[in-house]
Amino acid sequence: MKTFPDKINRRSFLKVSALAGGGMILSFNWLAGCKPKELETLGMPKEWFRLNGYIKIGENGLVTIMSPNPEGGQNVKTSMPMIVAEELDADWKNVVVEQAPLDTDNFTRQFIGGSQAIRIGWNALRTAGATARNLLIQAAAQTWNVPAEEITTEPGFVLHTASGKKAHFGEMASLAATMPVPEEIPLKEISEFRIIGHSHKNVEAKNIVTGKPLFGIDYKKPGMLKAMIIHPPAHGLRLKSFDDSAAKGMPGIKAIFQIKSHQDEYERTFFDTTSFTDLVAIVGNSTWEVMNAKKAIKVEWEPFSTYEEKRDWNGRKEIRTIPGGLENEASQIQQMAEASKKARIARKDGNPETAFAKAAKVIERTFHGPFLAHNCMEPMNFFAHVQPDRIDCAGPLQKPELTEQALSARLGVPIENIYIDMTRLGGGYGRRSYAHWLIEAAVISKEMNAPIHLQYTREDDMTGGIYRPMYRATYKAALDENNNLIGFQVNAGGLVEPPLYADRFPAGAVENYLAEEWTVASNITVGSFRAPRSNFIAAAEQSFLDEVAEAAGKDPIDFRLELLKKAKENPVGERNDYDPDRYAGVLELVKSKSIWGQTPAGISRGVSAYFCHNSYAAQVVDLKIENGQVVVEKVVQAVDCGLLINPDAAKNLCEGAAVDGIGTALFGELKFVEGAPDRTNFDGYRMIRMKEVPKTIETYFVESQVDPTGLGEPAYPPVFAALANALYQATGKRFYNQPFINQLNT
Amino acid sequence: MALFNLTINGKSQQVDVDPNTPMLWVLRDHLDLVGTKFGCGIAQCGACTIHLDGNAVRSCQLPVSAAEGAKITTIEGLSEEGDHPVQKAWLEHDVPQCGYCQAGQIMSAAALLAQNPNPSDTDIDNAMNGNICRCGTYTRIKAAIHTASKNL
Ligand code: FES
Ligand code: FES
């Protein structure tokens, strides 16, 4: 056993009077009506004893574990409590899980983003479980009058072998709640795990398949009104005036008014991005009535001129210039080409100029990626009730803690008086980090002096901004006469943010290396999108390496392995941010599992590998083209995310990432015409559907005892390139521009 | 506004709404049946799928006035205990990720199996192509439909 100094947010493990008192618990009781999981043995207890911020135990032995992080499909609501239960030594079938509200006193980092929940939560969650287990042991020692060291646990029980005494956790819970919290606490060895590493079903699955109210859109409160907004139809426009004479008297309509989500002088932090601050709000009794009134309002828009926005990026003050004008795709592409000539050097090793001058072969290719909409299946929405002494909010969001600060600043209400309940997210993928809709909901509620639920239509959602940036990258490789890679350059940028990771592979594996980046300003807002930056740069880099391997006459996997060997044995530079062994590990695994080198007849095959969010993934895509359609027969993927918590759920996530990645690479695209997105709903924006999905997906994990790392994102970026490389084998054409469907159709 | 008599999940219900109100919003706003989801409002995503006399329909396109006299089933009424073979198969395969699209997927799958108890992969592709899942759970959905088909 290793001991862990208990210094991770110690408050979490103390007895928590605030929670026991019930204020915060009561605020999310609306969900308690749906039992989180079928109880196989125990019913609900009469009394609960809270051992710390994460754990309460009923007198009958039932254990409740609070899941601190918002759940949007990453399955943290199952996997995080599994980690707590492991160290507590609970019997999983007698565990129920509750979603914790936003509570910065008791929990750290209640975020979705960067696939970091498990990696960062790992020690805190384990310590929470181990501490509570210790309290139960102390209680048993006192009750039985035996030394604590002689007491052990088995799932759900404390026992003293010498005297044959045994009690379930519930019998010790009330006394345990009064025991002193230990300063240091031993954690289990991996070999002792009984829950972690074994597949457990999603604790919410039964509620999902029976249609229980789980999502923000399902949230209801007595007296609650429905609200919608109208935002400008194009980026570059703002509200001038509106005429609501036809809408005002429509049935069910309570009020129509103008709102401002952020004040002009507000200093925005990282996730306060919004495209449109001046909006028309419509409030009424029911969604349909509000939708109808919305259509009857005539709004006049006007172009805005260039203005400045104050920004505070984690303490770094910045003035950001937002250009006026209605943008078009062609001019954006041209601006990007111009900007790429004035790039800033992010990393330089050796002497790339000389290497390219003396190269026997130089390969240069440029890649493009379009804007993408997140398209969470649950359109943006939020509940807010602004009262004189408190604000209650509920709904789906990824960064509740930051949103709470923004709301506090906007309405001048202290953070202590803001209560945010986190509902399940109908998808997030980065979009729900930018919670301007929560602020809008609160501003509307304040004006109405009533609880309201703000609902975006799909069109509001898709045309409202916060897109995956538009990207461009140019790669250059120099090969000597022996086909060794002697020089490598990447010049990458985007509108509005660059996709470059200068210290990632193949940095470190090439003697002469240059990475440069640039940006183009725009009034189109962008934000994090599933595997930010990697979702483009992996595709470009891994497609390019495929082409370089071919030019060098080498097998694409061997070529990468050779470079990784060099990065391991003789690394160039000191800042390389990947582990060559783990990188090679996923390539080796996918090579053997896909039976690389023996492509089935009639099949075209491509490979790709990438490292991001602390995890490694490699994929082999097998496809054919049938009647002009891409038919993906099989995806074989190998993933190294350290120790696996919940294997089948991990597999599900990686399968989803592969499907989503293939869909986005083939079809995902949003263009701008005079500042307006050229598609507004799923009739225009093509999403992958059942017919286009890979027929088989095989997912393998590298066995590892390294602390667990991210999983929501790592399998997403590389599959774009595996697909492009397989398409090359099938068509003889390289795919440099996403989405690939455009090239396939010509 | 007008009164409509509806039969939903075997129960008679009365609502007083605008005749053009889509069943989606009647269910969600007026009858507290929020399992049926809003995704696009234009019959493109399938999140709002319900059964109308046993057929899968997009409730965002079905005005309440056209639903009178028909037997409507929503996800809440697919089975009493959540044990319809499709729901059981969904649990067995642990299909959902975010879960938002799943009620619609299940309703489409249940209607398919009621008409075609032994669907081929192509039958499934055709029946399920109207249901989008951004989380990408399609391969599990297909596997779960095959499992449900064996346990009908
Ligand atoms: S909401 Fe009806 S099909 Fe999308
Ligand atoms: S499970 Fe998330 S959209 Fe289908």
Side-chain angles (χ1 to χ4, degrees):
Chain A
M1 287 200 180
K2 63 175 170 175
T3 32
F4 231 92
D6 175 10
K7 60 180 177 235
I8 317 138
N9 194 8
R10 222 185 114 73
R11 282 175 300 176
S12 311
F13 314 123
L14 301 175
K15 285 189 287 336
V16 187
S17 49
L19 274 168
M24 281 174 262
I25 296 284
L26 288 176
S27 65
F28 67 110
N29 258 356
W30 70 287
L31 277 179
C34 15
K35 222 171 12 162
K37 181 173 105 173
E38 282 297 281
L39 294 177
E40 286 167 39
T41 53
L42 302 173
M44 280 290 165
K46 292 187 210 54
E47 206 177 344
W48 288 108
F49 303 97
R50 185 167 286 278
L51 300 196
N52 58 41
Y54 290 85
I55 297 165
K56 55 183 182 178
I57 298 181
E59 90 289 338
N60 64 348
L62 190 71
V63 173
T64 292
I65 299 181
M66 306 298 283
S67 184
N69 282 38
E71 171 67 85
Q74 340 80 299
N75 208 31
V76 286
K77 195 167 177 180
T78 306
S79 55
M80 294 182 101
M82 277 172 66
I83 298 170
V84 178
E86 178 69 69
E87 292 289 350
L88 175 63
D89 220 2
D91 186 350
W92 184 250
K93 69 176 186 295
N94 291 324
V95 170
V96 290
V97 175
E98 271 180 28
Q99 177 69 56
L102 174 63
D103 176 2
T104 46
D105 281 346
N106 279 295
F107 305 109
T108 44
R109 203 180 182 282
Q110 292 179 283
F111 275 22
I112 302 181
S115 301
Q116 297 300 305
I118 295 291
R119 188 176 79 88
I120 292 177
W122 178 238
N123 288 326
L125 295 164
R126 293 183 72 185
T127 310
T131 311
R133 176 176 173 272
N134 176 282
L135 300 179
L136 291 164
I137 288 175
Q138 287 185 55
Q142 187 172 320
T143 309
W144 297 333
N145 202 13
V146 298
E149 301 72 52
E150 290 176 13
I151 293 178
T152 54
T153 54
E154 63 181 41
F157 290 89
V158 275
L159 46 142
H160 184 247
T161 320
S163 63
K165 289 199 164 71
K166 183 171 174 177
H168 66 67
F169 284 178
E171 297 170 63
M172 293 297 161
S174 90
L175 183 58
T178 68
M179 288 291 154
V181 177
E183 283 297 325
E184 282 211 334
I185 194 72
L187 299 178
K188 283 186 180 178
E189 293 295 340
I190 289 174
S191 59
E192 297 173 282
F193 287 169
R194 314 184 213 240
I195 297 176
I196 292 174
H198 303 274
S199 294
H200 291 82
K201 303 269 190 217
N202 185 334
V203 293
E204 208 85 271
K206 186 82 191 264
N207 290 328
I208 292 170
V209 304
T210 51
K212 294 288 183 302
L214 296 172
F215 299 92
I217 197 173
D218 305 335
Y219 199 88
K220 285 198 177 165
K221 272 280 155 81
M224 184 181 91
L225 297 169
K226 284 275 171 187
M228 288 202 168
I229 50 105
I230 306 179
H231 67 61
H235 286 71
L237 292 181
R238 69 165 165 226
L239 180 67
K240 185 176 178 208
S241 64
F242 65 95
D243 171 7
D244 63 359
S245 50
K248 259 202 307 235
M250 287 174 73
I253 296 307
K254 296 274 184 199
I256 299 170
F257 50 93
Q258 185 174 340
I259 62 161
K260 199 166 187 68
S261 56
H262 287 303
Q263 304 292 3
D264 294 338
E265 66 280 8
Y266 173 60
E267 188 173 74
R268 294 174 188 229
T269 59
F270 196 83
F271 290 104
D272 288 332
T273 308
T274 40
S275 296
F276 311 113
T277 48
D278 298 293
L279 309 161
V280 179
I282 309 106
V283 185
N285 291 330
S286 72
T287 312
W288 181 245
E289 288 168 325
V290 174
M291 274 181 172
N292 283 330
K294 185 177 166 178
K295 286 186 207 130
I297 298 171
K298 291 195 199 68
V299 190
E300 244 192 283
W301 313 102
E302 62 186 0
F304 59 72
S305 357
T306 302
Y307 67 94
E308 286 178 342
E309 216 172 67
K310 276 188 264 174
R311 285 275 186 172
D312 178 340
W313 303 92
N314 274 333
R316 184 164 56 84
K317 307 280 180 187
E318 182 189 291
I319 303 282
R320 192 176 256 211
T321 303
I322 313 291
L326 303 176
E327 299 181 18
N328 288 293
E329 192 196 35
S331 61
Q332 289 166 337
I333 288 178
Q334 201 189 334
Q335 271 183 297
M336 289 169 78
E338 286 303 317
S340 70
K341 294 177 196 151
K342 291 171 232 134
R344 155 192 100 71
I345 294 178
R347 171 166 170 166
K348 187 173 178 177
D349 298 326
N351 193 334
E353 295 84 353
T354 317
F356 278 92
K358 68 167 198 223
K361 242 183 256 172
V362 172
I363 305 147
E364 178 176 343
R365 300 286 180 255
T366 295
F367 298 80
H368 275 277
F371 290 106
L372 298 171
H374 292 80
N375 295 337
C376 304
M377 291 311 295
E378 179 190 13
M380 300 301 118
N381 69 91
F382 228 85
F383 167 85
H385 189 194
V386 178
Q387 302 139 84
D389 54 341
R390 63 184 278 149
I391 302 179
D392 289 305
C393 299
L397 83 167
Q398 287 182 232
K399 307 274 188 292
E401 201 174 327
L402 301 178
T403 308
E404 190 175 59
Q405 291 163 13
L407 182 61
S408 163
R410 176 62 181 83
L411 292 186
V413 173
I415 289 196
E416 318 71 274
N417 297 350
I418 299 177
Y419 300 86
I420 300 184
D421 282 349
M422 296 185 283
T423 62
R424 195 175 180 85
L425 289 73
Y429 326 106
R431 179 63 184 88
R432 288 191 225 268
S433 296
Y434 305 87
H436 52 87
W437 15 265
L438 185 154
I439 312 281
E440 291 156 20
V443 171
I444 295 170
S445 166
K446 186 174 182 192
E447 174 79 24
M448 295 303 293
N449 195 17
I452 67 109
H453 181 263
L454 171 66
Q455 179 67 55
Y456 275 28
T457 61
R458 174 59 57 192
E459 289 81 2
D460 296 334
D461 187 319
M462 202 180 286
T463 63
I466 324 279
Y467 303 112
R468 196 280 298 263
M470 191 178 190
Y471 289 130
R472 172 196 155 108
T474 300
Y475 282 89
K476 250 171 104 173
L479 296 172
D480 68 11
E481 51 289 339
N482 298 319
N483 285 319
N484 295 311
L485 183 63
I486 54 168
F488 195 88
Q489 289 189 13
V490 51
N491 168 302
L495 193 144
V496 180
E497 285 164 9
L500 185 72
Y501 284 102
D503 298 325
R504 283 199 186 154
F505 184 75
V510 194
E511 221 54 61
N512 305 294
Y513 173 88
L514 177 67
E516 304 173 303
E517 65 179 354
W518 46 269
T519 55
V520 172
S522 169
N523 55 38
I524 292 160
T525 50
V526 299
S528 307
F529 186 100
R530 192 173 199 171
R533 299 177 173 216
S534 305
N535 60 38
F536 168 73
I537 207 77
E541 170 205 296
Q542 290 289 312
S543 301
F544 183 66
L545 285 179
D546 201 68
E547 203 167 344
V548 177
E550 188 186 36
K554 291 178 186 168
D555 172 82
I557 293 185
D558 293 343
F559 177 65
R560 288 171 173 84
L561 290 174
E562 233 173 69
L563 290 171
L564 287 162
K565 190 159 174 260
K566 160 118 180 76
K568 183 188 176 185
E569 290 169 359
N570 213 347
V572 182
E574 262 132 48
R575 290 183 299 163
N576 306 321
D577 71 355
Y578 58 95
D579 175 341
D581 276 336
R582 293 181 73 188
Y583 212 128
V586 290
L587 272 164
E588 298 280 11
L589 185 59
V590 88
K591 186 176 176 181
S592 81
K593 294 296 183 187
S594 67
I595 319 182
W596 184 256
Q598 295 177 40
T599 309
I603 292 294
S604 302
R605 176 171 264 207
V607 67
S608 167
Y610 202 64
F611 159 76
C612 64
H613 304 280
N614 310 95
S615 296
Y616 301 77
Q619 282 139 333
V620 168
V621 165
D622 283 359
L623 57 75
K624 58 186 181 203
I625 311 256
E626 246 172 30
N627 310 320
Q629 304 291 317
V630 181
V631 179
V632 179
E633 287 289 333
K634 193 171 178 181
V635 177
V636 178
Q637 47 189 354
V639 178
D640 179 354
C641 56
L643 187 77
L644 270 188
I645 309 292
N646 194 4
D648 188 57
K651 235 174 112 186
N652 194 356
L653 262 183
C654 294
E655 290 163 6
V659 169
D660 190 17
I662 289 173
T664 308
L666 277 175
F667 309 124
E669 171 176 43
L670 195 81
K671 290 191 278 210
F672 286 85
V673 182
E674 296 294 302
D678 69 337
R679 42 210 92 185
T680 62
N681 202 326
F682 296 128
D683 49 349
Y685 199 112
R686 188 161 170 197
M687 306 283 284
I688 192 166
R689 291 172 183 268
M690 189 61 99
K691 283 184 186 172
E692 295 118 4
V693 166
K695 293 196 183 148
T696 313
I697 303 177
E698 291 175 10
T699 307
Y700 302 94
F701 293 98
V702 173
E703 264 186 55
S704 168
Q705 303 213 333
V706 176
D707 282 359
T709 51
L711 201 57
E713 292 162 303
Y716 181 68
V719 79
F720 287 62
L723 178 73
N725 297 339
L727 283 172
Y728 168 67
Q729 296 300 330
T731 64
K733 287 184 216 143
R734 290 282 173 188
F735 286 72
Y736 301 116
N737 301 324
Q738 294 169 23
F740 304 150
I741 191 77
N742 294 343
Q743 189 180 333
L744 279 164
N745 284 344
T746 53
Chain B
M1 299 296 234
L3 280 180
F4 294 93
N5 293 303
L6 303 167
T7 311
I8 299 169
N9 301 331
K11 246 173 66 190
S12 310
Q13 304 255 27
Q14 208 176 48
V15 287
D16 183 11
V17 294
D18 168 47
N20 292 322
T21 312
M23 272 310 296
L24 168 65
W25 299 115
V26 172
L27 293 168
R28 292 190 55 86
D29 283 1
H30 301 276
L31 298 173
D32 244 345
L33 292 168
V34 295
T36 306
K37 294 293 190 261
F38 167 54
C40 68
I42 58 162
Q44 289 292 321
C45 77
C48 66
T49 306
I50 58 169
H51 295 172
L52 185 73
D53 290 330
N55 295 313
V57 298
R58 310 295 181 223
S59 65
C60 67
Q61 298 303 305
L62 177 71
V64 60
S65 53
E68 257 193 330
K71 233 177 81 209
I72 290 169
T73 308
T74 70
I75 186 73
E76 291 91 344
L78 186 62
S79 62
E80 294 255 306
E81 300 287 330
D83 54 0
H84 184 281
V86 171
Q87 288 167 315
K88 285 203 334 221
W90 246 245
L91 295 178
E92 187 183 327
H93 289 266
D94 218 10
V95 174
Q97 286 188 30
C98 83
Y100 192 77
C101 71
Q102 299 296 345
Q105 306 275 8
I106 289 169
M107 295 309 279
S108 291
L112 163 69
L113 289 173
Q115 269 141 34
N116 176 359
N118 234 318
S120 65
D121 278 347
T122 313
D123 297 336
I124 295 174
D125 285 352
N126 290 332
M128 302 302 293
N129 216 48
N131 289 77
I132 299 174
C133 175
R134 163 85 216 262
C135 297
T137 62
Y138 298 106
T139 43
R140 286 186 183 229
I141 289 173
K142 194 179 271 185
I145 293 174
H146 283 305
T147 298
S149 137
K150 289 190 204 105
N151 299 326
L152 283 179

